[in-house]
Amino acid sequence: MFEALKKAMKIPALRKRIVFTALMILVFRIGANIPAAGMNTQLIKDSLAQNNVLSLYDMMAGGALSQFTLFALGVTPYITASIIMQLLAVAIPTLEDMQKSGEDGRKKIQVYTRYLSVALAILQSFGLVYGMFREALISDNFLTVISIVLTLTAGTTFLMWLGEIMTEKGIGNGVSMLIYAGIISRYPHSLRSTMRMASVGEINPLQIIVFLIISVAIIVGVVMVLEGVRKIPVQYAKRVVGKNTYGGQSSHIPLKVNQAGVIPVIFASSIMMMPEMMRFFFRSQGYKMFIDKYFSVGGNPGIYIYSIIQFVLVYAFSYFYISISFHPDEVADNLKNGNGFIPGIRPGKPTEEYISKSLNRLTFVGALFLALIAALPNFFYRTTNIPFQFGGTSLLIVVGVAIETMRQIKAQSVMRQYQGFLK
């Protein structure tokens, strides 16, 4: 990894992208520490300390929610809007045609996603200010509420733009990098709290050892699955054109065990926050008690219900994302047009079916692993007092984004080395 970074920094264009990404993350962290005026942040911190679901939200926002800063909403409205648009693209033929019409169609869908993100940001910020954290309002007048709502909405809109420009001019997926930076930024604080509690005897040293062993095992498993690839052999037929012979090479189609990466985990995490967000509109004590008991990691039987739903969502989103991002029919057509074939498989429809079958088998394993890693650690981290937001979901996101970013850096390095050679 360090060798790849060292080589990348020697290439001016790639170094510029890496530095740009680092500067944008710095901007994100500065904004995540500028408080929005008009709220009592201590009351908000006390409320979040008793809520496991919103603690995950706060972790993905880099602690911006507990401090109620400009970026308190994070990029969650943008992620939710992206999920809704992708679901609508499957259900509405016009959007489906737009998605398949190339770059222009995807740009139009992106514009709709931005508008929907702003609408969701207004709705969520109003719910936070006038719903869940109403007691934290220093002044309950209309202008104060509107100013805070507009501030939070502007913060989310800025992050949406920041993520897109990072994707375009930086390294990696911009939104994923912002989530990654938010999660990583919480680790020093959690580490200090863990060491403090261990020094005064509030945490058993054995718990820390078991915690570290399980965390390392999860990281190793995540790396193995994210890097796992099945190579389907491809043979290209020879063609004789005049006196020259073309083709005849052997190649392969790389199918990842986890083709979707960490996107299903991010999608599922956003969906899992929705029942908690509904407190904005159902402020009755009965609804609060219902969510705490039946839909919370800290509840009983809530931890089982929460984990099962999280498992199902991650598993389902894995298949859904692959179905809209990888098209076996297009791969089969490209092979046929290039005089390529899979040994023992006829070109055309049989090739498409063979690729689909192989992909479904790999996705079954990859999706099952993702779902288990996201759901099972809930039980372990509940039984310990370690204040370390290092659960399965955060681990998957951090490791997955890091691997994907390094993969892009290596690809960019190789591409620019070839360009330099051709010049």
Side-chain angles (χ1 to χ4, degrees), residues 17 28 55 81 101 103 138 166 173 175 177 185 189-190 192 235 254 298 301 307 313 336 391 399 402:
R17 283 180 170 269
F28 164 62
S55 293
S101 62
E103 189 66 26
I138 296 176
M166 285 174 67
N173 181 283
V175 174
M177 289 297 291
S185 68
H189 172 74
S190 298
R192 286 196 301 269
Q235 183 69 38
S307 299
L313 284 176
K336 187 176 180 180
V399 177

Side-chain angles (χ1 to χ4, degrees), residues 2 67-68 93 99 110-111 126 131 204 239 252 265 272 302 336 344 372 389 402:
F2 293 111
Q67 300 178 58
F68 215 80
Q99 193 175 47
Q110 186 67 22
V111 171
F126 183 79
N204 190 330
R239 292 182 301 162
H252 64 269
V265 180
M272 294 298 291
K336 187 176 180 180
L372 286 173
Q389 297 293 338

Side-chain angles (χ1 to χ4, degrees), residues 388-414:
F388 212 100
Q389 297 293 338
F390 207 52
T393 300
S394 61
L395 268 179
L396 283 169
I397 294 173
V398 168
V399 177
V401 173
I403 289 176
E404 187 59 34
T405 302
M406 288 307 304
R407 188 180 289 121
Q408 286 196 25
I409 289 176
K410 289 181 179 179
Q412 294 272 356
S413 298
V414 172

Side-chain angles (χ1 to χ4, degrees), residues 214-260:
I214 292 178
S215 298
V216 171
I218 291 175
I219 292 174
V220 172
V222 170
V223 173
M224 290 177 64
V225 171
L226 291 180
E227 291 290 274
V229 177
R230 181 188 175 186
K231 299 179 180 179
I232 298 179
V234 174
Q235 183 69 38
Y236 288 92
K238 291 183 178 180
R239 292 182 301 162
V240 179
V241 181
K243 295 182 180 181
N244 299 320
T245 301
Y246 299 94
Q249 302 98 343
S250 297
S251 184
H252 64 269
I253 302 173
L255 294 181
K256 294 182 181 179
V257 175
N258 181 22
Q259 194 81 14

Side-chain angles (χ1 to χ4, degrees), residues 35-168:
M39 300 292 287
N40 186 333
T41 56
Q42 188 57 49
L43 290 178
I44 295 174
K45 290 178 181 178
D46 294 340
S47 178
L48 289 178
Q50 304 171 3
N51 192 306
N52 291 294
V53 179
L54 282 184
S55 293
L56 175 62
Y57 188 112
D58 184 47
M59 177 192 67
M60 295 177 67
L65 179 60
S66 58
Q67 300 178 58
F68 215 80
T69 66
L70 301 180
F71 299 153
L73 293 180
V75 291
T76 303
Y78 182 67
I79 296 173
T80 306
S82 299
I83 298 172
I84 294 173
M85 291 304 300
Q86 289 185 0
L87 292 173
L88 291 178
V90 176
I92 301 176
T94 304
L95 290 177
E96 186 177 7
D97 294 339
M98 196 179 295
Q99 193 175 47
K100 294 179 179 179
S101 62
E103 189 66 26
D104 291 338
R106 285 191 288 270
K107 284 182 178 180
K108 289 181 181 178
I109 292 180
Q110 186 67 22
V111 171
Y112 298 152
T113 304
R114 292 168 187 162
Y115 287 139
L116 183 58
S117 300
V118 173
L120 289 175
I122 294 173
L123 186 65
Q124 290 186 17
S125 58
F126 183 79
L128 279 176
V129 176
Y130 208 68
M132 183 171 294
F133 300 137
R134 187 171 183 176
E135 293 80 4
L137 273 171
I138 296 176
S139 176
D140 200 7
N141 63 70
F142 178 76
L143 287 178
T144 301
V145 173
I146 290 298
S147 65
I148 299 174
V149 167
L150 291 178
T151 299
L152 298 185
T153 303
T156 294
T157 306
F158 177 77
L159 285 183
M160 178 175 62
W161 171 81
L162 196 66
E164 291 181 357
I165 198 171
M166 285 174 67
T167 303
E168 179 184 350

